[in-house]
DNA sequence: AAGAGACCCTGGATGC
DNA sequence: TGCATCCAGGGTCTCT
């Protein structure tokens, strides 16, 4: 499932293929893919606009358009974007297509159909609720500490809350908590300064590694070119229940927290404040 | 504030 | 072999 590193991988791959291209038409076979405006109106309005930049905010892709506006895409569970020759046959799950001015097209394939497309004047219409970018300088241990102290909930759903921190999904939440040796059900206001520092480092470490490895091909995700990412080989706990923890060898468990399957090591992520076996402290 | 549950979807896994 | 059923998973919404 595309999270921040997977979306970043799409952005980097698409950028050279679409920047400077003009969209000449849009085709859609699944109207619910288009959040706003109505599909017919989007097709009419987007034709003739040029893509000037491709960026990411949280898990959203942003295509800046000239003379105005932005195309915003969220891939949700199974979305995939690629730019291919128009002559290439379309996959049956390709529901939205932007035809470009050089005989290529930007294809939005989405098996689960949860993805969404928006054409807006100002992306803030969609993005205003998002929390900070976890890899930006304004995300610091201090800013994280302030957010955590302010509420009383389990840390795992906190990490998945896009209004707190933008871009973390189920894989990277579990991995960051394992890195930081924090139990997923720990209350946000119970974390010690040392734990918060480790969590901050863990979030940045796993997301950065995810980007370097071009995403985790664990369920359906593949890179824009159809190849698998490499992050699935670096994963310590996610979907590894029953297997040994790479840090301490204990058996990884799966529980449900906030309605999401959650994977953790019961030995190096104990559910007690500060209770970390000293032989298992990470290097 | 925050948790629980429903909803949207399909393919893969499991059950019979 | 084949059919029915369950489940994951991000985000949004409603209810408590």
């Amino acid at each position: 499932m595309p999270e921040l590193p997977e979306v970043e991988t799409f952005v980097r791959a698409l950028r050279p293929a679409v920047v400077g291209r003009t969209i000449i038409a849009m085709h859609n076979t699944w109207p619910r893919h288009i959040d706003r405006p109505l599909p017919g109106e989007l097709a009419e309005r987007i034709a003739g606009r040029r893509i000037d930049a491709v960026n990411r905010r949280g898990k959203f892709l942003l295509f800046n358009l000239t003379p105005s506006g932005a195309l915003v895409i969220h891939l949700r569970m199974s979305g995939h974007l690629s730019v291919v020759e128009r002559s290439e046959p379309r996959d049956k799950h390709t529901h939205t297509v932007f035809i470009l001015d050089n005989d290529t097209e930007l294809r939005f394939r989405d098996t689960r159909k949860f993805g969404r497309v928006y054409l807006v004047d100002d992306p803030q219409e969609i993005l205003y609720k998002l929390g900070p970018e976890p890899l930006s300088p304004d995300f610091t241990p201090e800013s994280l500490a302030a957010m955590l102290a302010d509420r009383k909930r389990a840390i795992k759903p906190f990490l998945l809350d896009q209004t707190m921190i933008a871009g973390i999904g189920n894989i990277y939440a579990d991995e960051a908590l394992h890195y930081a040796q924090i139990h997923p059900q720990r209350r946000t206001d119970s974390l010690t300064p040392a734990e918060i520092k480790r969590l901050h480092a863990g979030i940045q470490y796993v997301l950065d590694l995810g980007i370097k490895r071009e995403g985790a091909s664990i369920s359906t995700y593949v890179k824009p070119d159809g190849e698998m990412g490499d992050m699935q080989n670096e994963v310590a706990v996610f979907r590894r229940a029953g297997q040994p923890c790479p840090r301490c060898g204990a058996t990884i468990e799966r529980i449900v927290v906030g309605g999401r399957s959650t994977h953790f090591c019961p030995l190096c992520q104990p559910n007690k404040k500060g209770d970390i076996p000293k032989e298992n402290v990470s290097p």
Side-chain angles (χ1 to χ4, degrees), chain A residues 134-206:
Chain A
L135 295 176
S136 76
D138 43 300
F139 179 68
T140 62
E142 293 72 32
S143 69
L144 176 60
M147 287 190 274
L148 292 167
D150 240 21
R151 40 212 99 223
K152 315 167 201 291
R153 63 194 296 200
I155 185 64
K156 169 78 186 270
F158 170 90
L159 292 176
L160 295 178
D161 186 338
Q162 302 298 299
T163 68
M164 297 290 115
I165 305 168
I168 302 174
N170 217 23
I171 298 174
Y172 294 92
D174 283 3
E175 293 301 309
L177 288 169
H178 178 262
Y179 176 101
Q181 297 178 251
I182 296 169
H183 191 283
Q185 286 174 310
R186 285 285 301 283
R187 265 174 56 146
T188 53
D189 60 350
S190 78
L191 298 185
T192 66
E195 287 173 326
I196 293 170
K197 211 173 162 190
R198 288 206 304 269
L199 180 57
H200 177 268
I203 291 167
Q204 294 200 327
Y205 175 78
V206 299

Side-chain angles (χ1 to χ4, degrees), chain A residues 37-267:
Chain A
L38 291 171
E41 197 185 330
L42 189 148
E44 198 175 304
R45 281 169 52 182
I46 204 164
R49 297 206 207 184
R50 191 180 71 224
I51 301 171
D52 274 347
V54 187
N55 289 297
R56 178 192 58 74
R57 176 80 173 92
K59 301 175 194 170
F60 290 88
L61 291 108
L62 310 174
F63 300 79
N64 283 9
L65 304 173
T66 289
S68 68
L71 177 69
V72 180
I73 296 181
H74 197 299
L75 302 172
R76 297 273 185 104
M77 297 298 303
S78 59
H80 181 275
L81 292 167
S82 60
V83 177
V84 297
E85 299 291 320
R86 285 189 66 180
S87 55
E88 231 176 86
R90 288 181 193 163
D91 177 273
K92 69 167 175 170
H93 299 299
T94 297
H95 306 299
T96 302
V97 174
F98 299 91
I99 298 167
L100 306 177
D101 60 354
N102 63 342
D103 284 320
T104 65
E105 49 191 39
L106 172 62
R107 293 182 181 174
F108 186 5
R109 191 180 79 213
D110 187 12
T111 310
R112 296 280 190 280
K113 298 179 174 173
F114 286 173
R116 289 295 178 268
V117 175
Y118 313 78
L119 177 65
V120 291
D121 292 327
D122 178 358
Q124 280 307 111
E125 291 174 39
I126 316 290
L127 309 174
Y128 70 98
K129 291 181 199 160
L130 293 180
E133 279 297 315
L135 295 176
S136 76
D138 43 300
F139 179 68
T140 62
E142 293 72 32
S143 69
L144 176 60
M147 287 190 274
L148 292 167
D150 240 21
R151 40 212 99 223
K152 315 167 201 291
R153 63 194 296 200
I155 185 64
K156 169 78 186 270
F158 170 90
L159 292 176
L160 295 178
D161 186 338
Q162 302 298 299
T163 68
M164 297 290 115
I165 305 168
I168 302 174
N170 217 23
I171 298 174
Y172 294 92
D174 283 3
E175 293 301 309
L177 288 169
H178 178 262
Y179 176 101
Q181 297 178 251
I182 296 169
H183 191 283
Q185 286 174 310
R186 285 285 301 283
R187 265 174 56 146
T188 53
D189 60 350
S190 78
L191 298 185
T192 66
E195 287 173 326
I196 293 170
K197 211 173 162 190
R198 288 206 304 269
L199 180 57
H200 177 268
I203 291 167
Q204 294 200 327
Y205 175 78
V206 299
L207 293 175
D208 187 58
L209 186 61
I211 291 171
K212 289 195 172 86
R213 296 290 180 266
E214 299 183 281
S217 293
I218 288 181
S219 52
T220 58
Y221 168 78
V222 289
K223 295 190 283 181
D225 63 7
E227 299 293 313
M228 284 169 64
D230 295 310
M231 184 62 187
Q232 66 281 4
N233 303 318
E234 310 276 354
V235 159
V237 289
F238 188 75
R239 293 221 187 145
R240 293 177 60 87
Q243 298 179 46
C245 168
R247 183 162 47 211
C248 74
T251 303
I252 293 161
E253 292 181 10
R254 177 188 176 277
I255 57 175
V256 174
V257 183
R260 296 287 175 227
S261 72
T262 299
H263 314 76
F264 72 106
C265 170
L267 190 57

